[in-house]
Amino acid sequence: MSIAHLAEGAVGFAQTIAWLVIGAGLVQNLAHMAQLVLAARALSESPATPRAGLLWRRYADAAPPVALLVPAYNEAATIVESVRSLLALQYPSFEIVVVNDGSKDATLQTLIDAFDLAPIARHYDLAAPCRPILGVYGSSAQPKLLVVDKANGGKSDALNAALNLARAPLVCSMDADSLLEPDALLRAVRPFLEDPERVVAVGGTVRIVNGCSIRSGRVVEVGLPRNPLALLQTVEYLRAFLMARLAWSRVGALTIISGAFGLFRRQLVIEAGGYSHGTVGEDMELVVKLHRRMREQGAPYRIAFIAEPVCWTEAPETLSVLGRQRTRWHRGALETFARHRDLLFSVRHGRVGLLGFGYILMVDVLGPAIEAVGYLLVPAFWMLGLLSLDYLLAFLAVSFAFGVAVSVGAVALEEATLRRFPRGRDLLVLAGAAVVENFGYRQLNNLWRLQGTWEFLRGATGWGDMTRKGFRAA
Amino acid sequence: MGLLSGIWVAALFTTASSMLWMAGLVLARALRQRLEARRAADRKAVTAALLGVLDGAPGANEGLAPFLARPGLLAGCLLDFMALVRGRDRERLIGTLRDKGVEALLQTAALKGRQSRRLAAIEVLCAFPSPQTEQTLTASLADPDPDVRIAAARSLLEAGAPVSAAQLLALPEAEEAPSRLWAELLRTFAVDHAWETAEALGPAALSSAGRAMVVEAIGFSGDYRVLPRLLAEAADQRAEVRAAAVRALGRLSHPAARSTLAAALDDSDWEVRGEAAEAVGRSGFADQTEALAGRLADPVWWVRFRAAQALVALGEPGLRRLTDAADSDGGDAGRAASLALAERAPA
């Protein structure tokens, strides 16, 4: 074979790789554009959100009881504030089940001291698997609060314990550091009121609390984070919730409801086996299990996302903590995909199998590797003179432009619905973040996703240390 | 234009569009904030005018004049205001608003325009009972929006207008996927119209969920005349309907339901058994103590739990039986009994 042939082959190979990377990027961008359009349609078709005062008038009498499931591990710094804010929720009937999952700090004692708790007896069933429950605590002064002490077993295990102790027909899974807005439950329960037979689960919006002022467990002033990492995550969360989840909900292929805030029918969760152990993506895995179960039963159902109910959560502000989080999230997505891989392109499982899992394959399974190949090989090919710099830059520019457009679209959705940012200049800051995130942040995310893939392939387990700062008082 | 140029044009066009879009959002935000500030000021002015009417302040009526062409704003303010005002003040206020033509304004707003405006107008109209209001609200029962329909039915009830059970059962909400809002409406209706609701239920073509909701609603009435209907529904083929009927019988707590509830303790469906256990306890049927004790060993936890609670509710005979079960049974029955005894409040 002559050198000319080899060179021709090399150029062809380089171009194929380049086209693969560019094609994957364009397909992803087109998918995001489609999500934006679907989300906008979903918002335009949904009824106007009533003021908080009207919500109570219209829905309070019909609202079913809800049990808030709050797993807590080493949360002594913030647990009391969190529980106090939950106790002040504006909802007619609810209970709070806090599970101390074998904390090494004083989480349990802090709760006992703050709320004057004492050991009580509670009849429960171990319907969902969990490690031994060591004690149940309550107080006649706080009839809505139940604290469960158990052997450490991880978040899924703690949620299952809470599920077992809960008695309400609806359960709301949360993180111990989630701050719900006072009317969040009343807003989130609406689909269950309007369509009680079909609605199985509802997810709400999760927002970043960094930069906001908190008083008595309430966000009293919304602000943008000063920390650049948290600011970039703000844009990401807007895309993830207001765009992606709304779109997937619209087409009936929502595969994840955030563990920070999701409402479920308790009986169906138990029938699905509760939260699965051995995965860090227990929130996504539960939703997929519910889809599978309902599809296989042939029962009409709906798993929905609605934008109005808001939960605030703290975002990592250091690369190390953020990296651990993103690596874990990606590992969790792959674990779920692997467990339920028979759903992929399964006609029997409808849009979940065809669209939902197809998207996960493209973005989560193949995406990180393709992107990594692009970052490594394409510049190398250019340096070897196998690719034209002009075209390379042009395609990068298009990809960058699409990315910015999608992020601006997510900000537009925020303006159309939640409007939590008080100042017009906040929008400009977000637009700036949407531009900046293309230079380094996205690439870092991809690196973390690759790390998540590696950990998944290695069979790694565990959460790692998630350091929290606690909430900034107003 | 070559491919390369085309790609660059696309990139630049997309970027420029994004920037323009963002600029538009900022501008729209500024305009909206101004609008919202004006609206807030208007709401304040309307509220002040309404307070002035209540106080009998001179010129207070004229304070409402600038807002009489804005039914959405008026309806929103009145919704909040009416929730706080009662008695003679309310009558005086409604009289003044009627004189100003607000009732007619709301009647028009209830039938056209944005959903939120129709809804608010309908919710306020219940404060203005009249033949025209009744006509408007009845027409709104056919509104394309389910929230508006429910609100119209509720307003008709609150206004004391004649509404029939057949009308409520004919609402689209009763079909295929009935809502809890419709169920709540039925509950409110059935308190004073239980017999009529029970009669209408017989021939009604409802889904099992819808039927169950109606059955449950009439159970809240306390009207013993519905007992035969509930006893008949307790034998329905559909478990959901049977469970609702048993629940309703428990609320009525009538001795004539004893044998039906006793039979329901052995139903093939666990939800029916659970409801039966609770109903027996609520009704105070102490002769069912042994049957309830049998349910302490039910394969489904929820039934065991309800049976244990029912035994507690039965007082002395139930507590004695629980103690026996706790002492003699090492399995599920014993555990259910022990925990029920441990959980109850000290005497």
Side-chain angles (χ1 to χ4, degrees):
Chain A
M1 194 180 282
S2 70
I3 290 176
H5 279 133
L6 276 171
E8 210 175 291
V11 168
F13 176 70
Q15 285 178 344
T16 303
I17 295 292
W19 277 117
L20 177 68
V21 170
I22 288 164
L26 277 177
V27 165
Q28 216 175 101
N29 281 323
L30 284 172
H32 290 154
M33 283 290 181
Q35 285 175 354
L36 198 53
V37 169
L38 283 169
R41 278 186 71 180
L43 285 174
S44 68
E45 289 167 4
S46 60
T49 312
R51 288 179 288 115
L54 291 179
L55 279 177
W56 190 273
R57 180 193 152 84
R58 287 178 189 162
Y59 304 121
D61 286 343
V66 173
L68 294 153
L69 314 180
V70 187
Y73 180 71
N74 292 349
E75 305 280 354
T78 55
I79 191 69
V80 172
E81 192 170 5
S82 297
V83 172
R84 283 211 174 105
S85 79
L86 294 178
L87 285 166
L89 285 174
Q90 290 162 9
Y91 194 78
S93 173
F94 66 97
E95 58 179 354
I96 303 165
V97 185
V98 180
V99 177
N100 176 48
D101 191 37
S103 300
K104 293 190 173 69
D105 68 3
T107 299
L108 177 64
Q109 194 57 50
T110 303
L111 285 165
I112 288 171
D113 294 340
F115 298 104
D116 197 26
L117 303 174
I120 61 170
R122 176 105 163 171
H123 190 188
Y124 62 91
D125 185 34
L126 288 172
C130 70
R131 295 214 59 211
I133 289 172
L134 307 173
V136 181
Y137 298 82
S139 166
S140 53
Q142 296 289 357
K144 290 181 180 171
L145 178 61
L146 194 71
V147 173
V148 180
D149 185 32
K150 63 179 279 294
N152 178 257
K155 189 174 177 187
S156 304
D157 200 77
L159 284 167
N160 281 347
L163 202 58
N164 290 333
L165 271 291
R167 289 179 182 169
L170 297 182
V171 294
C172 176
S173 66
M174 330 178 32
D175 290 338
D177 62 345
S178 302
L179 293 183
L180 293 187
E181 291 193 338
D183 58 9
L185 278 186
L186 210 44
R187 292 183 190 276
V189 92
R190 266 180 79 179
F192 290 100
L193 298 179
E194 290 164 354
D195 197 358
E197 293 300 304
R198 288 192 286 218
V199 172
V200 165
V202 170
T205 302
V206 178
R207 297 291 290 264
I208 287 176
V209 78
N210 308 47
C212 300
S213 299
I214 316 263
R215 193 186 304 137
S216 304
R218 293 271 175 268
V219 174
V220 295
E221 190 187 329
V222 177
L224 285 179
R226 289 185 185 279
N227 177 276
L229 266 186
L231 181 61
L232 293 171
Q233 290 171 76
T234 302
V235 179
E236 261 191 307
Y237 273 53
L238 289 180
R239 279 201 308 271
F241 286 93
L242 289 187
M243 189 184 81
R245 296 200 188 178
L246 210 42
W248 287 122
S249 170
R250 179 82 167 68
V251 297
L254 183 64
T255 53
I256 181 168
I257 286 174
S258 174
F261 181 41
L263 225 56
F264 300 84
R265 277 168 55 185
R266 179 179 176 273
Q267 187 57 33
L268 290 177
V269 173
I270 286 178
E271 286 173 7
Y275 289 87
S276 296
H277 290 75
T279 175
V280 291
E282 73 288 330
D283 46 3
M284 180 176 176
E285 211 265 337
L286 175 63
V287 174
V288 173
K289 275 201 300 191
L290 288 171
H291 273 297
R292 178 191 282 276
R293 187 175 171 81
M294 301 309 292
R295 285 257 163 214
E296 288 169 3
Q297 283 182 349
Y301 75 103
R302 198 157 70 94
I303 292 180
F305 172 85
I306 54 175
E308 304 89 55
V310 174
C311 165
W312 297 87
T313 190
E314 189 184 339
E317 291 187 343
T318 62
L319 285 173
S320 56
V321 178
L322 179 60
R324 278 200 292 276
Q325 184 193 66
R326 295 311 167 92
T327 301
R328 188 183 76 246
W329 284 3
H330 195 70
R331 179 162 41 104
L334 294 179
E335 284 168 355
T336 300
F337 184 84
R339 282 186 188 205
H340 298 277
R341 58 187 178 277
D342 59 311
L343 263 61
L344 179 63
F345 302 137
S346 160
V347 174
R348 184 178 168 214
H349 293 94
R351 290 176 184 181
V352 177
L354 294 170
L355 293 177
F357 263 57
Y359 183 81
I360 294 171
L361 174 70
M362 181 179 73
V363 172
D364 290 328
V365 179
L366 301 175
I370 293 175
E371 212 169 312
V373 161
Y375 289 134
L376 290 173
L377 290 186
V378 168
F381 290 152
W382 164 68
M383 282 196 291
L384 290 171
L386 299 174
L387 283 179
S388 157
L389 178 64
D390 293 341
Y391 277 93
L392 187 60
L393 289 176
F395 278 114
L396 271 176
V398 159
S399 185
F400 158 85
F402 261 110
V404 170
V406 165
S407 293
V408 169
V411 175
L413 291 175
E414 153 72 13
E415 274 298 278
T417 52
L418 301 176
R419 294 179 202 153
R420 287 297 191 276
F421 298 112
R423 296 174 296 261
R425 77 161 187 268
D426 291 340
L427 303 180
L428 292 172
V429 172
L430 287 171
V435 171
V436 165
E437 69 172 339
N438 289 284
F439 300 100
Y441 183 68
R442 283 196 186 207
Q443 290 74 18
L444 256 180
N445 258 299
N446 199 58
L447 196 63
W448 290 326
R449 294 195 312 155
L450 280 172
Q451 203 172 330
T453 305
W454 176 241
E455 287 185 3
F456 165 73
L457 292 172
R458 273 195 316 119
T461 58
W463 277 52
D465 290 327
M466 297 302 298
T467 321
R468 288 201 178 82
K469 284 171 52 181
F471 303 123
R472 175 166 72 95
Chain B
M1 187 190 297
L3 177 62
L4 185 61
S5 308
I7 296 169
W8 274 110
V9 165
L12 289 168
F13 177 76
T14 308
T15 307
S17 303
S18 302
M19 296 300 111
L20 272 171
W21 194 2
M22 185 51 86
L25 287 175
V26 174
L27 192 64
R29 160 72 75 100
L31 285 170
R32 199 184 58 248
Q33 277 177 333
R34 207 181 289 180
L35 262 168
E36 279 171 1
R38 205 184 314 159
R39 200 176 165 80
D42 289 344
R43 286 181 69 91
K44 211 169 164 181
V46 169
T47 306
L50 292 172
L51 283 169
V53 167
L54 284 182
D55 288 341
N61 293 359
E62 278 63 47
L64 284 172
F67 307 106
L68 292 178
R70 296 170 63 183
L73 174 70
L74 275 177
C77 292
L78 284 171
L79 263 181
D80 295 333
F81 206 78
M82 294 293 199
L84 301 169
V85 179
R86 293 283 181 268
R88 279 221 187 109
D89 284 343
R90 191 180 171 99
E91 286 166 19
R92 193 166 71 242
L93 182 64
I94 288 170
T96 304
L97 292 171
R98 265 205 175 109
D99 292 341
K100 287 267 148 201
V102 170
E103 182 185 340
L105 193 69
L106 291 172
Q107 285 161 1
T108 308
L111 295 174
K112 59 181 184 181
R114 281 193 329 268
Q115 184 259 10
S116 56
R117 200 178 85 158
R118 295 198 314 276
L119 190 51
I122 281 168
E123 287 177 324
V124 175
L125 271 174
C126 63
F128 298 88
S130 71
Q132 292 78 19
T133 290
E134 189 185 315
Q135 203 175 353
T136 303
L137 292 174
T138 304
S140 295
L141 290 178
D143 192 284
D145 185 88
D147 284 343
V148 171
R149 290 194 296 267
I150 296 280
R154 193 183 297 135
S155 281
L156 277 168
L157 290 176
E158 288 180 21
V163 181
S164 70
Q167 267 179 304
L168 294 181
L169 297 189
L171 285 175
E173 280 59 59
E175 294 166 16
E176 281 189 34
S179 74
R180 285 201 196 283
L181 300 173
W182 177 75
E184 188 56 34
L185 179 69
L186 279 176
R187 209 169 99 160
T188 309
F189 177 78
V191 165
D192 294 322
H193 303 88
W195 174 241
E196 183 194 340
T197 310
E199 288 282 275
L201 180 59
L206 297 169
S207 65
S208 60
R211 197 167 193 88
M213 286 179 184
V214 179
V215 165
E216 184 161 1
I218 60 181
F220 281 98
S221 66
D223 188 341
Y224 293 142
R225 292 179 297 165
V226 304
L227 206 50
R229 168 52 56 194
L230 289 178
L231 291 173
E233 297 296 333
D236 194 279
Q237 284 178 3
R238 295 160 288 190
E240 197 173 356
V241 176
R242 291 200 306 278
V246 164
R247 195 158 49 238
L249 286 169
R251 286 212 174 84
L252 281 185
S253 301
H254 193 281
R258 188 190 305 269
S259 58
T260 300
L261 292 180
L265 284 173
D266 291 322
D267 196 281
S268 57
D269 185 88
W270 68 267
E271 287 191 64
V272 178
R273 295 198 303 275
E275 295 293 351
E278 188 178 6
V280 164
R282 190 198 283 252
S283 303
F285 295 152
D287 60 326
Q288 297 301 315
T289 304
E290 276 311 307
L292 281 173
R295 285 297 125 226
L296 291 177
D298 195 280
V300 177
W301 174 81
W302 194 253
V303 179
R304 298 197 296 271
F305 171 63
R306 286 285 184 229
Q309 281 194 323
L311 284 167
V312 170
L314 288 179
E316 197 50 45
L319 290 171
R320 259 201 317 272
R321 193 61 187 85
L322 277 174
T323 308
D324 288 342
D327 288 342
S328 61
D329 193 302
D332 286 337
R335 183 165 180 265
S338 323
L339 285 169
L341 287 168
E343 211 178 292
R344 74 184 187 97

